[in-house]
């Protein structure tokens, strides 16, 4: 990273979806400080053009994490000057976690190797990092080709984005985007366990959970070339992502997670209790077992709601303590840098 500070103004989208004006001291980021990370699986038809595109933009540090391709993906990538390794496990998430161990520069740009993302957008992705943001999401919907996404996929993406906003309290506009830029330091602070296509979802949730400074920038999204086959299954993978969003709320938004179970229990118990009361009033027929079930369901629901509230209070306290510790750490680093 260069040491010359510059002043710059920009309009950026913050994590909560608001557009805010930025005017702050920035540091120039050299292409040599950036690693372009491309997870691949049978992308021989497109990987060469993707790597060439980044070379044309001046980004020559390209790392390909291959998932065991059965075509010429690895050979083509090496011929185009990329560093290539075969991941030891399966799935995109595992590939990225392993690839980070090979990165020896402070910044990473990550994208798929299927040719749908434009290497020319790399400077747009990198620029917010120079302003102090730690994670950047490329919004595909800002400039998407008409045939780049099927109607079903578009509906699913918007539903998932809306669910994320409701469950996790942040609006990143396109949480499933595979075009990301982030600092290695911020990635190391995340707890990424995903192995498959829920990687982007988990990245978004972890950014909210750990208070990672995240912003969204517009990018282009192109149709996948005809000769390139997709590895995605819209219905199956969409369902997996929705379940992941809900499951991850356990530690990021416990009030929603346990509260939803609690409300469900109360409604279920209330419905049974209403039926039991109706039967008694109308026909003087008692349903003792059903009455016990309804009481147990309502009691469990209330307990889950209380547990959710207490967990949310503890999480808020934890986040505040972590924020203060991070502020102290940053100030300490700044003093050390000034001392040098």
């Amino acid at each position: 990273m260069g040491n010359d500070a510059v002043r710059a103004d920009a309009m950026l989208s913050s994590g909560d979806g608001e557009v805010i004006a930025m005017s702050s001291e920035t540091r120039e980021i050299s292409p040599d400080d950036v690693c372009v990370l491309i997870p691949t699986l049978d992308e021989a038809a497109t990987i060469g053009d993707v790597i060439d595109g980044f070379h044309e933009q001046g980004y020559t540090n390209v790392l390909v994490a291959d998932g065991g391709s059965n075509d010429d993906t690895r050979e083509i990538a090496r011929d185009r000057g990329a560093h290539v390794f075969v991941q030891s496990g399966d799935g995109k998430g595992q590939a990225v976690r392993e690839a980070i161990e090979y990165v020896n520069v402070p910044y990473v740009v990550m994208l798929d190797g299927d040719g749908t993302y434009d290497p020319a957008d790399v400077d747009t992705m990198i620029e917010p990092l120079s302003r102090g943001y730690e994670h950047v999401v490329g919004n595909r919907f800002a400039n998407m080709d008409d045939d780049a996404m099927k109607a079903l996929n578009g509906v699913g993406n918007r539903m998932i984005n809306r669910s994320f906003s409701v469950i996790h309290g942040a609006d990143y506009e396109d949480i499933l985007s595979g075009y990301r830029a982030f600092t290695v330091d911020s990635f190391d602070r995340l707890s990424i366990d995903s192995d498959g296509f829920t990687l982007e979802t988990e990245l978004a949730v972890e950014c909210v959970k750990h208070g990672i400074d995240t912003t969204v920038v517009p990018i282009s999204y192109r149709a996948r070339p005809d000769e390139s086959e997709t590895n995605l299954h819209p219905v199956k993978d969409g369902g997996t992502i929705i379940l992941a969003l809900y499951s991850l709320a356990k530690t990021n938004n416990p009030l929603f997670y346990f509260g939803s179970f609690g409300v469900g229990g109360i409604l279920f118990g209330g419905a049974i209790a209403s039926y039991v009361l109706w039967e008694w009033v109308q026909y003087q027929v008692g349903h003792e077992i059903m009455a016990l079930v309804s009481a147990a369901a309502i009691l469990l629901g209330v307990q889950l709601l209380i547990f959710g509230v207490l967990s949310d209070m503890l999480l808020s306290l934890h986040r505040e303590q972590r924020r203060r510790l991070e502020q102290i750490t940053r100030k300490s680093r700044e003093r050390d840098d000034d001392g040098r």
Side-chain angles (χ1 to χ4, degrees), residues 255 257-270 293-309:
L255 179 57
Y257 181 82
F258 293 104
S260 60
F261 281 112
V263 170
I266 292 173
L267 292 176
F268 177 72
V293 171
S294 68
I298 293 173
L299 180 59
L300 178 61
V302 171
Q303 289 177 329
L304 285 172
L305 275 174
I306 295 174
F307 184 76
V309 171

Side-chain angles (χ1 to χ4, degrees), residues 9-81:
D9 297 323
M11 297 298 292
L12 293 176
S13 175
S14 65
D16 57 8
E18 298 179 355
V19 176
I20 56 176
M22 296 289 293
S23 179
S24 60
E25 188 177 82
T26 66
R27 293 179 181 272
E28 182 181 356
I29 297 178
S30 167
D32 294 334
D33 294 325
V34 179
C35 173
V36 178
L37 171 58
I38 311 176
T40 59
L41 179 62
D42 297 329
E43 304 289 2
T46 54
I47 188 62
D49 291 338
V50 173
I51 295 172
D52 289 345
F54 280 101
H55 285 176
E56 292 171 3
Q57 301 299 319
Y59 293 81
T60 57
N61 183 5
V62 179
L63 175 62
V64 171
D66 189 67
S69 296
N70 294 315
D71 57 13
D72 296 329
T73 297
R74 295 190 295 274
E75 291 75 11
I76 294 173
R78 291 192 182 99
D79 290 342
R80 301 302 175 93

Side-chain angles (χ1 to χ4, degrees), residues 157-177:
N157 269 262
R158 287 178 172 82
M159 182 178 68
I160 289 170
N161 282 305
R162 175 55 58 185
S163 299
F164 173 81
S165 178
V166 171
I167 296 174
H168 297 281
D171 184 6
Y172 291 161
E173 300 184 39
D174 187 12
I175 69 166
L176 301 185
S177 173

Side-chain angles (χ1 to χ4, degrees), residues 96-117:
V96 173
R97 289 197 303 272
E98 187 172 351
I100 293 298
E101 300 176 5
Y102 291 83
V103 176
N104 56 5
V105 291
Y107 304 100
V108 172
V109 170
M110 181 184 76
L111 76 161
D112 299 331
D114 57 9
T116 55
Y117 297 104

